[in-house]
Amino acid sequence: MTTLGEWLARAPFGLAMSSGFFSFYAHTGMLAALRERGLTPTHVAGSSAGAMVTGAWAAGVSPGELAEVLARLERAHFWDPSLGPGLLAGKKFDALLRDMLPITDIAACRVPVAISVFDILARRTAVLTSGDLADAIRASCAVPAMFHPVWIAGRPYWDGGILDRAGIAGVPTGRLLFHHISARPPWQRTTRPQVVPRRPDLVSLVLENLPRVNPFRLDAGRRALELARDATKRALDRPLAGDLVSVDVTAGA
C-alpha cells in the first residue's frame, strides 16, 4: 500500500496549514520533516499560525531558521499592550516578522502564497495573494481581543481562522496536504467538534496530543516542535488508507 510520503513524492502538491493558538511551533516541526524527506510543496496557504509558517517558508526562511527564531522567542518580543480594540498593538510582532523575513512582497515569494484573513467590515474571509507579506501574516494572526485589527488598503482584518480555520479558502483544486491542528481556538468558548475538510485529492495530517502553548508557556512550544517533527516522520512512512492520517505525538516520544 502507498505510504503518505510516497503519495506526496508521486506528483506536485500544495501545502495548507490550519490556525491554532501558537501552533506555529508544531507547523514548523511538521514542515521540517517534509523538507528533510525532500518533499517540497509547489504552493502554500494557511490561516493564522499556519499563514505565518507557510508564508515565512515561501519567503525563503528554512524550517531550521524558523525553528531558531522560535527557540529564542520570548513574550517580550511581541508583548506591547496598548489601548484599542485588543490587548496588543501588534507593532512588536510586525517588527519581529520584518526582521525574520528576507522579502516582504508576496509576489516575490518562491511559490504562490494564499493567506486567509477575516474582513471585519464584510464579515467574511478574504484571501491575500499579493501585497505586503508581513502585513498579511500579522492580519491572519490577529486573534480577536488579543491583537488590534490590522489595516490593509483601508480595511481592518482579524484572524483568518475565524471563518477559515483550515486556511484553504484560496487553494486551487488539486493535490493538497493539509496539516490540521487539533486544538480549540481561543475565541471559542465551548469545545465543538472539529471537522477536517474533505475534497478530492486532499489528504489531512492530524497530530494528536500536542503540548498546549500560549504566551506564558512558550517552553511548551519548543517541545511541540520536536514532537511534531518526529510524529510527521512516522506519518510519512504510514500506509495511506483514505484521506486522513492521524498520529499521536506522544506515541514513541
Side-chain angles (χ1 to χ4, degrees), residues 3 17 32 38 102 120 131 147 156 182 199 201 224 237 241 250:
T3 65
M17 291 183 162
I120 297 173
F147 282 104
S182 181
R199 73 182 202 188
D201 294 322
D237 292 326
T250 62

Side-chain angles (χ1 to χ4, degrees), residues 105-231:
D105 182 2
I106 294 177
C109 288
R110 54 184 163 187
V111 298
V113 180
I115 293 179
S116 293
V117 295
F118 178 73
D119 185 323
I120 297 173
L121 299 180
R123 292 191 168 190
R124 62 176 176 80
T125 296
V127 180
L128 304 180
T129 58
S130 62
D132 186 274
L133 180 60
D135 282 347
I137 292 174
R138 188 161 62 92
S140 192
C141 292
V143 176
M146 181 175 178
F147 282 104
H148 294 190
V150 176
W151 288 78
I152 301 175
R155 298 190 71 84
Y157 297 100
W158 259 333
D159 193 299
I162 293 175
L163 289 183
D164 182 26
R165 189 165 190 276
I168 63 172
V171 179
T173 57
R175 289 162 46 86
L176 181 69
L177 176 63
F178 167 60
H179 185 212
H180 174 75
I181 295 296
S182 181
R184 179 177 63 84
W187 58 78
Q188 196 178 93
R189 294 180 180 234
T190 59
T191 300
R192 300 175 186 171
Q194 295 184 26
V195 179
V196 177
R198 282 183 161 82
R199 73 182 202 188
D201 294 322
L202 183 153
V203 173
S204 297
L205 172 60
V206 181
L207 302 182
E208 302 283 358
N209 295 318
L210 285 162
R212 297 293 180 129
V213 187
N214 62 50
F216 302 94
R217 292 193 63 216
L218 295 178
D219 57 323
R222 292 179 268 275
R223 178 64 174 155
L225 191 155
E226 294 301 325
L227 288 171
R229 180 170 61 185
D230 292 343

Side-chain angles (χ1 to χ4, degrees), residues 35 49 65 72 78 82 87 93 102 110 132 145 154 173 183 195 202 205:
R35 296 299 302 119
E65 291 169 332
R72 298 191 301 267
F78 59 86
S82 175
L87 174 63
F93 185 31
R110 54 184 163 187
D132 186 274
T173 57
V195 179
L202 183 153
L205 172 60

